[in-house]
Amino acid sequence: MSVVTRFAPSPTGFLHIGGARTALFNYLFAKHHGGQFLLRVEDTDLKRSTDEAIQAILHGLSWLELDWDGAEVYQSHNADRHREVAEQLVADGKAYKCYCTPEELAEMREKAKNSGGSTRMYDGRWRDRDPAEAPAGIDPVIRIKMPQEGETTITDLVQGDVTKANDTLDDFIILRSDGTPTYMLAVVVDDHDMGVTHAIRGDDHLNNAFRQLHVFKACGWDVPAFAHIPLIHGADGAKLSKRHGALGVEAYEEMGILPEAMCNYLLRLGWSHGDDETISREQAIEWFNLEAVGRSPARFDMDKLLNLNAHYLKSADPSRLAAGVLADADAAGITVSPDAEKRLVAGMTGLASRAKNAHELFELSHLYLIDAPIDMNEKARDSLADPEARQTLNELAELLKKATSWGEDELDGIAREYAESMGLKLGKVAQPLRSALTGSNVSPSIFEVMAVLGRDETLARLEIAAE
Ligand code: GLU
């Protein structure tokens, strides 16, 4: 049997991190088994579904590189097929038309409420009634015939065996009186038609699974394997909600998180492989299984995400990071010369090892992005106000002009020799250098900066600062 999974978001909001993790698990499970990962947009609630949300979901998945197989399926396009299945179930005696009035239903609801849960919401009054008795002027709904006795057990691949007494499950509506399918029917028909073998989703759907299972059975279809994963909680242990801060995946993208860091973090949120913390996509595909998904909710921890992000920044391809910085520079209206662009790529590894996110990286990149004269922060300006510091820069510049090569080690050697000959600590030399060359007091090693800036740019900056 070849594995088919699906991610089935309802486009009523952005792609939140819980959804992104569900998508990731479905993706990894499918790829691990050499199967297919499908995407179904559950847009049947036309009032609450928006194009904007659909775009946000598609963008979020693409950003995370969770590419789905084939074209995405829009559930609303399948409404005719859903109706056809509902009518077939009536013809087969597995479902029936119910002509209850809103008043009758309100009465039943009241009764169920007062019974403290021992009575079903719908009492099944049209289940065996002769359709010839149907009152005129009422458009019926279609209800599924649920088993009335015994129990239903779901062998969940994460939760284990979960059992429910059948008398708690009433004959629910599968087709509304206006002919539109309910969510419970649409999910089942689409999962069957798409050949889904494994439904991996949040455990807020576990209760639905008991109903869906009987729809599959009534239709005579194979029931997919279910895997209900615990929801994500906030650091305080409460279910993740808006007050825990950014929840949409795009907010993390804007925060400067790399997609591979996000995926790694989401993977570790509720799934583990020994003590491994950093796990590449390839390893994740190789190792992912449902047995190692935890049964208790995982807590979202922003610091962990940032630490992973710093790790991935360090190892990311410099030209890819440079492209991101250049896009930010463009958005900020900074013109970057071809020379500066080369410097940026050459210096990227040193910059990336000091940044936790793309914003910090952009800030740090400033020293390579512009050509002399550079702007200076207050600390840098203050340190250069000292005539001795400027004297140091002048003398050092003279020595540097004579340098026969422009490597980091050689530049370091020249500065050290100079400091020694003057009876100065290296810091006394490095500090004005840093101010003059970077316009700030934080940067990668100053000799690395000099090597990346190159001879002309370094000397130009020193000259301006020494004036
Ligand atoms: N559309 C549902 C949701 O967004 C998921 C349904 C399912 O996975 O079966 O919560």
Side-chain angles (χ1 to χ4, degrees):
M1 175 185 74
S2 126
V3 164
V4 179
T5 64
R6 82 321 192 253
F7 176 49
S10 304
T12 53
F14 45 53
L15 177 63
H16 58 88
I17 56 168
R21 189 188 58 166
T22 300
L24 176 67
F25 284 13
N26 275 288
Y27 173 92
L28 293 175
F29 188 79
K31 299 297 152 184
H32 176 84
H33 291 281
Q36 287 199 305
F37 166 64
L38 308 180
L39 174 62
R40 180 170 74 234
V41 179
E42 303 212 313
D43 57 345
T44 39
D45 186 345
L46 292 172
K47 273 196 222 92
R48 291 177 60 223
S49 302
T50 65
D51 262 349
E52 216 184 331
I54 294 175
Q55 291 318 317
I57 291 167
L58 301 184
H59 171 83
L61 291 174
S62 303
W63 178 64
L64 293 168
E65 290 188 41
L66 299 176
D67 300 325
W68 54 96
D69 292 300
E72 63 270 22
V73 170
Y74 289 89
Q75 190 157 63
S76 63
H77 299 180
N78 299 340
D80 288 345
R81 163 78 176 144
H82 301 150
R83 194 175 312 119
E84 178 191 304
V85 171
E87 273 153 14
Q88 188 60 46
L89 285 173
V90 175
D92 294 346
K94 310 269 186 184
Y96 59 94
K97 293 187 177 168
C98 161
Y99 295 85
C100 283
T101 62
E103 293 73 34
E104 282 177 285
L105 290 170
E107 218 173 89
M108 280 181 236
R109 212 170 296 128
E110 193 59 25
K111 215 163 149 190
K113 217 165 75 191
N114 295 338
S115 78
S118 66
T119 306
R120 290 191 183 92
M121 201 65 105
Y122 176 73
D123 66 9
R125 69 179 63 171
W126 281 93
R127 188 174 166 117
D128 298 310
R129 201 154 151 190
D130 186 349
E133 290 172 30
I138 289 192
D139 290 326
V141 298
I142 294 180
R143 290 181 183 272
I144 181 104
K145 281 187 186 166
M146 290 289 278
Q148 296 191 297
E149 282 149 24
E151 336 178 292
T152 300
T153 298
I154 286 178
T155 301
D156 191 275
L157 295 179
V158 171
Q159 310 286 338
D161 279 357
V162 190
T163 299
K164 227 178 164 62
N166 287 336
D167 63 9
T168 62
L169 304 166
D170 60 0
D171 292 350
F172 58 90
I173 299 174
I174 55 174
L175 200 76
R176 298 188 192 92
S177 57
D178 63 1
T180 59
T182 59
Y183 163 73
M184 218 59 90
L185 174 70
V187 170
V188 170
V189 175
D190 289 349
D191 276 347
H192 170 262
D193 289 358
M194 291 164 74
V196 171
T197 59
H198 293 75
I200 305 169
R201 57 192 179 187
D203 67 8
D204 49 337
H205 286 286
L206 181 58
N207 271 327
N208 293 338
F210 286 95
R211 295 188 166 80
Q212 290 162 6
L213 177 127
H214 289 292
V215 181
F216 278 107
K217 289 202 163 153
C219 293
W221 296 335
D222 286 340
V223 184
F226 291 114
H228 289 94
I229 52 183
L231 300 183
I232 301 173
H233 284 195
D236 56 0
K239 213 176 120 179
L240 206 58
S241 72
K242 289 222 171 83
R243 75 189 162 76
H244 287 101
L247 295 169
V249 162
E250 78 286 341
Y252 295 91
E253 184 183 0
E254 278 161 26
M255 248 182 248
I257 302 292
L258 292 177
E260 59 269 43
M262 193 76 208
C263 281
N264 191 153
Y265 181 67
L266 291 174
L267 173 63
R268 289 285 293 102
L269 206 50
W271 178 86
S272 56
H273 182 268
D275 290 332
D276 291 308
E277 287 292 345
T278 53
I279 301 170
S280 69
R281 175 63 61 90
E282 291 69 34
Q283 289 170 321
I285 290 174
E286 193 186 324
W287 294 339
F288 189 77
N289 58 356
L290 292 168
E291 292 81 44
V293 174
R295 283 194 196 180
S296 45
R299 289 190 186 197
F300 190 80
D301 181 339
M302 194 65 196
D303 289 338
K304 268 199 182 156
L305 172 59
L306 289 177
N307 283 338
L308 270 174
N309 200 48
H311 165 85
Y312 280 98
L313 270 172
K314 268 190 212 112
S315 48
D317 171 24
S319 19
R320 170 184 162 212
L321 295 178
V325 168
L326 289 174
D328 287 350
D330 191 47
I334 300 171
T335 320
V336 181
S337 70
D339 275 351
E341 213 173 302
K342 280 195 207 114
R343 294 196 295 256
L344 182 67
V345 177
M348 189 46 80
T349 309
L351 298 175
S353 65
R354 283 166 182 81
K356 276 214 180 69
N357 60 50
H359 298 308
E360 285 182 23
L361 188 63
F362 178 55
E363 297 270 298
L364 282 168
S365 298
H366 205 71
L367 82 118
Y368 295 137
L369 280 180
I370 37 167
D371 301 302
I374 57 166
D375 20 288
M376 304 241 158
N377 73 16
E378 214 176 292
K379 282 212 174 115
R381 233 178 287 128
D382 283 354
S383 81
L384 294 173
D386 175 5
E388 255 174 59
R390 296 208 300 276
Q391 167 82 5
T392 300
L393 291 182
N394 259 324
E395 289 170 358
L396 201 55
E398 287 312 311
L399 293 174
L400 289 169
K401 278 181 198 159
K402 291 186 215 137
T404 49
S405 81
W406 203 263
E408 200 178 325
D409 290 343
E410 177 160 30
L411 295 166
D412 187 326
I414 294 171
R416 261 172 223 280
E417 232 171 78
Y418 168 75
E420 235 164 76
S421 73
M422 301 301 288
L424 296 171
K425 285 199 174 126
L426 185 64
K428 270 280 177 212
V429 177
Q431 196 202 13
L433 264 183
R434 186 182 306 277
S435 300
L437 297 177
T438 72
S440 104
N441 43 317
V442 275
S443 76
S445 132
I446 197 60
F447 305 111
E448 177 185 330
V449 169
M450 288 164 83
V452 170
L453 286 175
R455 182 190 170 92
D456 293 348
E457 182 66 22
T458 302
L459 293 175
R461 290 187 188 189
L462 288 181
E463 205 170 295
I464 292 168
E467 269 167 20

